[in-house]
Amino acid sequence: MGRNALRIDTERGRLLTARRYDESDVRIRPGKSSRPRTKTRPEHNDAEAGMVVSVDRGRWGCVLGGDPARPVVTMRARELGRTPIVVGDEVGIVGDLSGKVDTLARIVRVAERRTVLRRTADDTDPFERVVVANADRLLIVAALADPPPRTGFVERALVAAYVGGLEPVLCLTKSDLAAPEEFTAAFADLDVPVVLAGQSEDLTELTAMLTNSVTALIGHSGVGKSTLVNRLVPDAYRATGVVSGVGKGRHTSTQSVALPLPGGGWVVDTPGIRSFGLAHISPENVVAAFSDLADTIENCPRGCTHLGPPADPECALDALTGDAGRRVAAVRLLLEAVRTNEAW
């Protein structure tokens, strides 16, 4: 047999051998499963308590023990899934807690929130967004002029504070351009504290109010909120980089960040508000925030909006007089602002 014939017979044998295989003979290595090997998850008893001070692209800046001098950058542990984590959350942290550059710890636990500041994109959006967690106070910053104050915005912010469990404080800037009495009269019966924070105003009273607590600041763009933050927290933007440790430590108008007060406590600087939807708020939520009115609405007919006549001719709140009656009138202004979604 010639050399060429031998080569042809050999190749033919290989082909015949190959034809005797089919797909059932091919072994495929199974892909890596994302399912945990056990349902028993670690308890992380050694997790150290921390507070979230910034959020940026899947990373959370935290401070251990609430101490600004102990910042760490963290990620969300896999077992938390899509659990939302926002500025102000109290969390449990494990892993590398040194806070050194390029180190990353893990958030393994999120404590139940004591208070929440929520909003929706608008009054038709059912999706709630938690802006800040566990704040003790909401500082509503409004300018008395340039731009002129908007009652509707303050009313909506008050609603969000009352429903979320925060103490509202009305902070008025640019007080050198206009007197505050006419504007603040609309909120007198709600017993909302009012402080002046114009550039010529002394901030001693406001600083004492905020010390050793967590306070969220909200306000429209241009009302002087950033100026106020810089007066409360000297060199605030440098402090942002030191505290957050997230990304390049920048603070933009699209991110909330908690800044440490020199005397203790935190202020949470939130983005300038463009919209403050309250789709998640019901009239009962608002009225229930006032202890002297909450019991009374139990006598209202089903479906009562508590707005009073002519909409609700049998509203039980109509029977209240004196201080409680004046408070009813003020609360109804809040309810009307939410119902009509008036320009603000």
Side-chain angles (χ1 to χ4, degrees):
M1 182 181 297
R3 182 176 299 177
N4 290 337
L6 179 61
R7 179 176 57 79
I8 293 173
D9 286 344
T10 302
E11 292 179 355
R12 183 179 300 163
R14 290 174 181 168
L15 290 174
L16 290 174
T17 302
R19 290 195 187 101
R20 287 198 288 269
Y21 288 93
D22 58 26
E23 63 272 10
S24 63
D25 295 297
V26 180
R27 298 185 63 183
I28 301 175
R29 180 177 297 176
K32 185 176 180 181
S33 174
S34 60
R35 181 178 299 176
R37 296 181 180 180
T38 174
K39 293 182 179 180
T40 304
R41 309 305 298 160
E43 296 183 2
H44 297 297
N45 294 324
D46 60 338
E48 187 162 349
M51 170 184 163
V52 177
V53 295
S54 62
V55 183
D56 186 11
R57 295 171 294 183
R59 295 290 183 265
W60 288 262
C62 302
V63 291
L64 299 176
D67 184 355
R70 301 182 63 197
V72 294
V73 178
T74 66
M75 61 180 289
R76 180 171 47 198
R78 178 178 294 181
E79 57 260 35
L80 290 182
R82 295 183 177 273
T83 301
I85 304 174
V86 302
V87 170
D89 267 327
E90 297 169 354
V91 296
I93 305 171
V94 301
D96 190 336
L97 305 182
S98 66
K100 294 180 180 178
V101 176
D102 296 331
T103 59
L104 193 62
R106 288 181 295 131
I107 296 176
V108 296
R109 190 162 49 243
V110 181
E112 184 177 354
R113 293 163 178 161
R114 300 187 305 275
T115 67
V116 286
L117 176 63
R118 293 187 178 96
R119 73 175 182 89
T120 58
D122 54 50
D123 283 351
T124 62
D125 181 7
F127 182 72
E128 299 178 22
R129 295 163 177 81
V130 178
V131 182
V132 181
N134 299 317
D136 303 294
R137 185 178 297 102
L138 179 63
L139 196 67
I140 306 167
V141 184
L144 287 169
D146 191 29
R150 303 180 183 183
T151 304
F153 166 72
V154 174
E155 289 169 340
R156 283 173 164 262
L158 288 172
V159 169
Y162 290 133
V163 173
L166 291 77
E167 175 195 359
V169 176
L170 181 56
C171 180
L172 301 176
T173 63
K174 305 184 182 181
S175 52
D176 55 324
L177 300 180
E181 287 76 17
E182 181 179 354
F183 182 67
T184 58
F187 313 105
D189 293 322
L190 294 172
D191 296 329
V192 178
V194 178
V195 293
L196 300 181
Q199 293 197 24
S200 61
E201 304 286 347
D202 180 46
L203 297 185
T204 302
E205 177 187 357
L206 178 59
T207 300
M209 181 185 297
L210 306 186
T211 299
N212 294 324
S213 61
V214 179
T215 302
L217 276 67
I218 64 168
H220 279 297
S221 298
V223 298
K225 182 167 62 68
S226 296
T227 301
L228 176 60
V229 169
N230 280 305
R231 293 182 67 190
L232 292 170
V233 185
D235 202 7
Y237 289 99
R238 187 193 67 81
T240 301
V242 172
V243 170
S244 74
V246 175
K248 295 183 179 180
R250 68 191 186 283
H251 175 46
T252 69
S253 61
T254 60
Q255 299 290 338
S256 295
V257 64
L259 299 167
L261 289 166
W266 299 83
V267 290
V268 181
D269 187 14
T270 63
I273 296 295
R274 294 184 180 88
S275 62
F276 206 105
L278 298 174
H280 58 293
I281 302 291
S282 70
E284 284 73 19
N285 296 148
V286 180
V287 179
F290 299 88
S291 57
D292 56 344
L293 307 184
D295 293 337
T296 303
I297 64 172
E298 294 181 1
N299 298 319
C300 288
R302 179 176 299 181
C304 182
T305 63
H306 314 301
L307 289 171
D312 303 296
E314 299 180 9
C315 181
L317 295 177
D318 292 333
L320 298 178
T321 58
D323 291 342
R326 288 190 293 273
R327 192 184 299 275
V328 168
V331 171
R332 281 175 170 167
L333 290 177
L334 302 183
L335 294 174
E336 184 65 21
V338 175
R339 184 185 70 86
T340 58
N341 190 22
E342 64 181 16
W344 47 273

